[in-house]
Amino acid sequence: MGLFTSILLQIANATLLLLAEVGGMPLAKPNCPERCGDLSIPYPFGIGEGYFDESDSSFNLACNETTGVTTLGQNLEVLNIALDGQIRILHWVAYDCYDQSLTRIAHNAPWLHLVNFTISSSHNKLVATGCDDYVFLKGLRNGIAYWMGCITYCFSVEGLVNDTCNGIGCCETSIPEGVSNITTEVHGYSNHTYVINFNPCSSAAVVANDAFVFSAANISTTAEEYWSGLQVPVVLNWTIGSKSCHAAETDQTVLCSENSSCTDPPGEVGYRCQCWTGYEGNPYISPGCQEIDECSASELNDCKKPATCKNTNGGYKCKCPIGLRGAGTNSDPCLPTLRLTVIAAVGGRC
């Protein structure tokens, strides 16, 4: 597989840190645990009965209090949860390995089946490494079976370039929005007959864009322990239920609380809630989204002194002092007012 270093995993863990941290505001319902180890757990997710949105058991998480590890569904470790509708997990890598007699010695085709979770198209890609590979990603999109993949084939290590997935020893392809219930498979064209001396194993995975970099050295890795223990970050989209905003609002089951709106994400089933512009918080619980005081810190507004900042409902205004003109912002600062002086000349014709 590509090189997944501790640095990259730190990047992966740091991404989406809009996450559940919202200025000290409550993330979970009253008397519900908000954390497992270092991970924040915002509602509709929760740990155990009564703490998650019980209309969908997919939001029920498990917390190992000894290790501080949170898991979802089929024992998938959770790295981050974002209130904008994303969750980052660790998932297994597909691999296909052969020995010098060209006998398959290891094979794995991992699957990921979760209700109301789809693969994020903008945050993931399908990648494969090796010199005798064809790779499939099987899944469902809008209830219809969907297959996609890529091919990489080479006869030597010549042309392999570190940090570059250029089709030689490494191939990658994008994933359309709305794909779920996936299985990743990698196979060899000829059981690595022509490449066994330098490439005994092929691999493939759906992986977060910021967590993969190709390393030519990895195509020579033979240890089954390495491949069988390798997991990579994947970003999933999550939604509430299977109804549209209109349907959920009509039957009064919508979870969106005050100062928030319901949105129907394109290509997905269900809906999401989001705070109005100028508000922050968890839109799935009450008191929900709270108004941001943009004037409380200079980094929250664009006012430039000597202008003053006035907080408004959902925003703010910059105002120049009397006698100065301009919007009072960095792009249109306060400037002295121009005064036109008219000088009258009195005299006659010579």
Side-chain angles (χ1 to χ4, degrees):
M1 197 61 189
L3 181 63
F4 296 90
T5 65
S6 59
I7 294 176
L8 284 172
L9 285 176
Q10 288 170 13
I11 293 173
N13 287 337
T15 306
L16 305 178
L17 286 179
L18 322 153
L19 298 186
E21 305 291 351
V22 279
M25 297 180 184
L27 302 174
K29 286 188 170 183
N31 303 316
C32 294
E34 291 190 355
R35 305 187 72 86
C36 175
D38 294 330
L39 179 69
S40 297
I41 311 292
Y43 189 84
F45 292 88
I47 302 169
E49 295 296 327
Y51 297 138
F52 64 94
D53 174 24
E54 296 188 354
S55 67
D56 188 346
S57 61
S58 300
F59 294 123
N60 186 16
L61 305 177
C63 176
N64 186 319
E65 296 183 0
T66 301
T67 62
V69 172
T70 304
T71 53
L72 167 73
Q74 57 204 59
N75 203 32
L76 301 166
E77 182 175 347
V78 179
L79 302 178
N80 284 314
I81 303 174
L83 284 169
D84 61 358
Q86 294 175 342
I87 181 170
R88 183 177 291 241
I89 64 169
L90 287 178
H91 189 46
W92 303 102
V93 169
Y95 54 84
D96 195 38
C97 298
Y98 297 82
D99 63 17
Q100 290 294 320
S101 67
L102 306 182
T103 300
R104 175 185 276 172
I105 57 173
H107 183 80
N108 185 44
W111 51 272
L112 179 60
H113 297 174
L114 293 171
V115 177
N116 288 346
F117 292 83
T118 61
I119 305 299
S120 172
S121 174
S122 58
H123 289 88
N124 302 289
K125 56 189 172 184
L126 174 66
V127 299
T129 63
C131 281
D132 189 50
D133 307 358
Y134 62 96
V135 178
F136 291 124
L137 176 66
K138 303 176 181 179
L140 295 177
R141 187 168 185 254
N142 298 324
I144 301 173
Y146 180 87
W147 287 35
M148 58 174 292
C150 66
I151 297 171
T152 171
Y153 203 85
C154 43
F155 289 95
S156 74
V157 294
E158 297 296 326
L160 301 183
V161 181
N162 286 333
D163 304 333
T164 302
C165 193
N166 61 4
I168 303 176
C170 176
C171 67
E172 64 179 52
T173 186
S174 59
I175 302 171
E177 205 67 69
V179 174
S180 63
N181 296 321
I182 63 168
T183 301
T184 308
E185 295 185 16
V186 58
H187 300 277
Y189 278 107
S190 54
N191 296 349
H192 289 237
T193 299
Y194 307 107
V195 299
I196 193 65
N197 290 330
F198 67 90
N199 177 218
C201 292
S202 299
S203 65
V206 173
V207 60
N209 294 333
D210 60 3
F212 172 80
V213 60
F214 174 63
S215 172
N218 281 93
I219 71 168
S220 300
T221 302
T222 58
E224 181 182 349
E225 293 80 8
Y226 172 78
W227 299 110
S228 62
L230 184 60
Q231 297 184 77
V232 297
V234 180
V235 180
L236 306 177
N237 295 329
W238 58 269
T239 58
I240 301 295
S242 58
K243 298 176 182 178
S244 66
C245 286
H246 177 72
E249 289 169 344
T250 299
D251 63 17
Q252 299 183 345
T253 59
V254 68
L255 289 183
C256 303
S257 61
E258 55 266 49
N259 304 323
S260 69
S261 302
C262 184
T263 63
D264 294 312
E268 298 181 51
V269 175
Y271 66 87
R272 294 193 188 110
C273 306
Q274 63 181 26
C275 292
W276 293 343
T277 301
Y279 290 76
E280 65 178 359
N282 187 339
Y284 298 96
I285 61 174
S286 186
C289 305
Q290 302 297 300
E291 204 270 329
I292 301 171
D293 183 359
E294 290 89 353
C295 297
S296 63
S298 59
E299 62 269 19
L300 298 178
N301 64 74
D302 191 40
C303 298
K304 182 177 178 62
K305 291 182 178 180
T308 56
C309 179
K310 180 180 180 181
N311 191 57
T312 61
N313 191 18
Y316 66 94
K317 291 182 179 180
C318 305
K319 185 177 181 180
C320 291
I322 296 175
L324 298 182
R325 63 184 174 85
T329 64
N330 285 299
S331 59
D332 187 8
C334 301
L335 297 173
T337 301
L338 294 177
R339 291 192 176 129
L340 181 62
T341 302
V342 179
I343 301 177
V346 179
R349 180 179 299 177
C350 295

